Amino acid sequence: MRPLSASQLIDVWERGSGLPPVRQALLLLHAACPDEPPEALAALHVGRRDARLLRLRTLTMGPRLDCEAACPACAERLEFSLQADDLGAAAAPPADTPLSLELQGYALLFRLPNSQDLMVAAGQNPHEAERQILRRCLVQAVHAGENVMLDDLPDKVLAAMSRRMAEADELADMRFDLTCPACDHAWQAPFDIVAYFWRELEEGVQRLLHEAHRLAAAYGWREADILAMSPWRRQQYLNFLST
Ligand SMILES: [Zn+2]
């Protein structure tokens, strides 16, 4: 994996604008890991994919993450920064072997969801999307010696399967501890690396394009040459323009 260059950031942003987050996540990873086949990246468990995205974000922008949140108790707005390490992404990723579960006489074998599953489920209502993901991840369900389809499983068994997946792939649900300075309420807030990275990418690209526009207008340089400069050098030229 290598950090994304200025022109790669713009390219990924241009191709991913308006797409579902799962596609944006894969575009980012594909740009950073060009030697890995896209199918292999789409087959990574969501947690493993998100841990890679967090690493890519650290390589590209540094380990500090500036965040905002609202206190669920008193609605106070909090601004704070996290370090990438605070998100537990160093935790060992789950094994690739299928998970098993036995409940109410049902014996299930299933795997963890990946981006391929999320892409198939994208655009459906949350209930149908979850069912679709469970259906794709179910390897086998047996009851009284007979194979059973997912739609014939009791809701309790399906809920246990979902829970088991979440427990096995902790990285798919990154969280961090927060305490509200106004009311002392403490809670665990979720961190969505795809949404965070994409929002930051959008802001970064707007800034880069504006810089390229100013330098191209002033010096007549090509966009590709301006973007190939180090941020430091670009900034020096921008400083000359403002003096
Ligand atoms: Zn509060």
Side-chain angles (χ1 to χ4, degrees):
M1 182 180 295
R2 48 186 180 223
L4 298 179
S5 65
S7 61
Q8 278 181 308
L9 289 173
I10 294 176
D11 184 51
V12 167
W13 170 77
E14 199 172 12
R15 289 195 290 144
S17 274
L19 294 184
V22 56
R23 298 230 173 238
Q24 296 172 336
L26 290 175
L27 280 171
L28 283 163
L29 276 190
H30 184 52
C33 314
D35 302 334
E36 289 188 57
E39 315 81 69
L41 295 172
L44 290 171
H45 300 153
V46 175
R48 198 174 282 201
R49 178 201 76 184
D50 286 358
R52 278 214 206 183
L53 280 174
L54 186 61
R55 207 160 74 236
L56 174 62
R57 193 273 173 195
T58 301
L59 282 174
T60 308
M61 320 259 190
R64 187 184 138 137
L65 301 141
D66 291 321
C67 302
E68 278 182 17
C71 170
C74 75
E76 170 87 358
R77 290 220 58 88
L78 277 63
E79 285 183 17
F80 51 93
S81 9
L82 297 173
Q83 294 294 316
D85 288 348
D86 296 340
L87 292 163
D96 278 321
T97 46
L99 301 167
S100 58
L101 174 77
E102 287 191 27
L103 189 67
Q104 297 185 339
Y106 291 86
L108 271 56
L109 271 185
F110 50 96
R111 60 173 178 80
L112 288 171
N114 58 35
S115 299
Q116 203 72 52
D117 303 317
L118 301 191
M119 278 193 281
V120 172
Q124 301 179 10
N125 71 54
H127 174 74
E128 197 36 56
E130 193 192 355
R131 242 189 142 73
Q132 175 88 305
I133 291 169
L134 293 179
R135 194 176 293 123
R136 288 175 54 89
C137 292
L138 183 68
V139 177
Q140 189 183 42
V142 177
H143 182 63
E146 300 275 329
N147 281 329
V148 187
M149 307 294 281
L150 184 114
D151 289 322
D152 298 325
L153 294 175
D155 286 347
K156 253 198 176 147
V157 175
L158 290 177
M161 179 179 165
S162 273
R163 250 193 333 269
R164 191 68 212 288
M165 284 174 164
E167 285 162 8
D169 197 8
E170 276 180 273
L171 294 173
D173 185 25
M174 293 184 194
R175 285 177 182 269
F176 56 94
D177 296 321
L178 270 181
T179 305
C180 174
C183 75
D184 273 344
H185 176 70
W187 77 102
Q188 279 216 316
F191 180 80
D192 181 343
I193 178 64
V194 181
Y196 185 95
F197 202 169
W198 198 264
R199 199 165 50 241
E200 199 175 42
L201 176 79
E202 250 163 10
E203 288 164 11
V205 165
Q206 295 303 325
R207 211 168 36 242
L208 276 170
L209 289 176
H210 186 238
E211 288 178 9
H213 159 72
R214 285 185 64 202
L215 293 176
Y219 298 103
W221 294 332
R222 292 168 52 234
E223 184 202 53
D225 294 335
I226 295 170
L227 295 177
M229 288 177 192
S230 69
W232 181 85
R233 195 194 285 204
R234 255 195 319 269
Q235 194 53 53
Q236 294 307 308
Y237 286 117
L238 288 166
N239 291 348
F240 296 148
L241 288 183
S242 11
T243 52

CSV table of all heavy atoms in Angstrom, one decimal, residues 71-76 78 180-185 187, ligand 1:
chain,number,residue,atom,x,y,z
A,71,CYS,N,-23.4,15.4,21.9
A,71,CYS,CA,-23.6,14.6,23.1
A,71,CYS,C,-25.1,14.1,23.0
A,71,CYS,O,-26.0,14.9,22.9
A,71,CYS,CB,-23.4,15.4,24.3
A,71,CYS,SG,-24.0,14.6,25.8
A,72,PRO,N,-25.3,12.8,23.2
A,72,PRO,CA,-26.6,12.2,23.1
A,72,PRO,C,-27.5,12.6,24.3
A,72,PRO,O,-28.7,12.6,24.2
A,72,PRO,CB,-26.4,10.7,23.0
A,72,PRO,CG,-25.0,10.4,23.4
A,72,PRO,CD,-24.2,11.7,23.3
A,73,ALA,N,-26.8,13.1,25.4
A,73,ALA,CA,-27.6,13.4,26.6
A,73,ALA,C,-28.0,14.9,26.6
A,73,ALA,O,-29.2,15.2,26.9
A,73,ALA,CB,-26.8,13.1,27.8
A,74,CYS,N,-27.1,15.8,26.2
A,74,CYS,CA,-27.4,17.2,26.3
A,74,CYS,C,-27.3,18.0,25.0
A,74,CYS,O,-27.5,19.2,24.9
A,74,CYS,CB,-26.6,17.9,27.4
A,74,CYS,SG,-24.9,18.2,26.9
A,75,ALA,N,-26.9,17.3,23.9
A,75,ALA,CA,-26.8,17.8,22.6
A,75,ALA,C,-25.6,18.8,22.4
A,75,ALA,O,-25.5,19.5,21.4
A,75,ALA,CB,-28.1,18.5,22.1
A,76,GLU,N,-24.8,18.9,23.4
A,76,GLU,CA,-23.6,19.8,23.3
A,76,GLU,C,-22.7,19.3,22.1
A,76,GLU,O,-22.6,18.1,21.9
A,76,GLU,CB,-22.8,19.7,24.6
A,76,GLU,CG,-21.4,20.3,24.6
A,76,GLU,CD,-21.4,21.8,25.0
A,76,GLU,OE1,-22.5,22.3,25.2
A,76,GLU,OE2,-20.3,22.4,25.0
A,78,LEU,N,-19.3,18.7,20.3
A,78,LEU,CA,-17.9,18.4,20.8
A,78,LEU,C,-17.0,18.4,19.6
A,78,LEU,O,-17.3,17.9,18.5
A,78,LEU,CB,-17.8,17.1,21.4
A,78,LEU,CG,-18.2,16.9,22.9
A,78,LEU,CD1,-19.6,17.2,23.1
A,78,LEU,CD2,-17.9,15.5,23.3
A,180,CYS,N,-18.7,13.9,27.6
A,180,CYS,CA,-19.1,15.2,27.4
A,180,CYS,C,-18.6,16.2,28.5
A,180,CYS,O,-18.9,15.9,29.6
A,180,CYS,CB,-20.7,15.3,27.3
A,180,CYS,SG,-21.3,16.9,27.2
A,181,PRO,N,-17.9,17.3,28.1
A,181,PRO,CA,-17.4,18.2,29.1
A,181,PRO,C,-18.5,19.0,29.8
A,181,PRO,O,-18.4,19.5,30.9
A,181,PRO,CB,-16.5,19.1,28.3
A,181,PRO,CG,-16.9,19.0,26.9
A,181,PRO,CD,-17.6,17.7,26.7
A,182,ALA,N,-19.7,19.1,29.1
A,182,ALA,CA,-20.8,19.9,29.7
A,182,ALA,C,-21.6,19.1,30.7
A,182,ALA,O,-22.0,19.7,31.7
A,182,ALA,CB,-21.7,20.4,28.6
A,183,CYS,N,-21.8,17.8,30.5
A,183,CYS,CA,-22.7,17.1,31.4
A,183,CYS,C,-22.1,15.8,31.9
A,183,CYS,O,-22.8,15.0,32.6
A,183,CYS,CB,-24.1,16.8,30.7
A,183,CYS,SG,-24.0,15.5,29.5
A,184,ASP,N,-20.8,15.5,31.5
A,184,ASP,CA,-20.1,14.3,32.0
A,184,ASP,C,-20.7,13.0,31.5
A,184,ASP,O,-20.3,11.9,31.9
A,184,ASP,CB,-20.1,14.2,33.6
A,184,ASP,CG,-18.9,15.0,34.1
A,184,ASP,OD1,-18.0,15.3,33.3
A,184,ASP,OD2,-18.9,15.3,35.3
A,185,HIS,N,-21.6,13.0,30.6
A,185,HIS,CA,-22.1,11.8,30.0
A,185,HIS,C,-21.0,11.1,29.2
A,185,HIS,O,-20.3,11.7,28.5
A,185,HIS,CB,-23.3,12.1,29.1
A,185,HIS,CG,-23.9,10.9,28.4
A,185,HIS,ND1,-24.6,9.9,29.0
A,185,HIS,CD2,-23.8,10.5,27.1
A,185,HIS,CE1,-24.9,9.0,28.2
A,185,HIS,NE2,-24.5,9.3,27.0
A,187,TRP,N,-20.0,7.9,26.6
A,187,TRP,CA,-20.6,7.0,25.6
A,187,TRP,C,-19.5,6.5,24.6
A,187,TRP,O,-18.4,7.1,24.6
A,187,TRP,CB,-21.8,7.5,24.9
A,187,TRP,CG,-21.6,8.5,23.8
A,187,TRP,CD1,-21.6,8.3,22.5
A,187,TRP,CD2,-21.2,9.9,24.0
A,187,TRP,NE1,-21.4,9.5,21.8
A,187,TRP,CE2,-21.1,10.5,22.7
A,187,TRP,CE3,-21.0,10.8,25.1
A,187,TRP,CZ2,-20.8,11.8,22.4
A,187,TRP,CZ3,-20.7,12.1,24.8
A,187,TRP,CH2,-20.6,12.6,23.6
B,1,ZN,ZN,-23.6,16.3,27.4
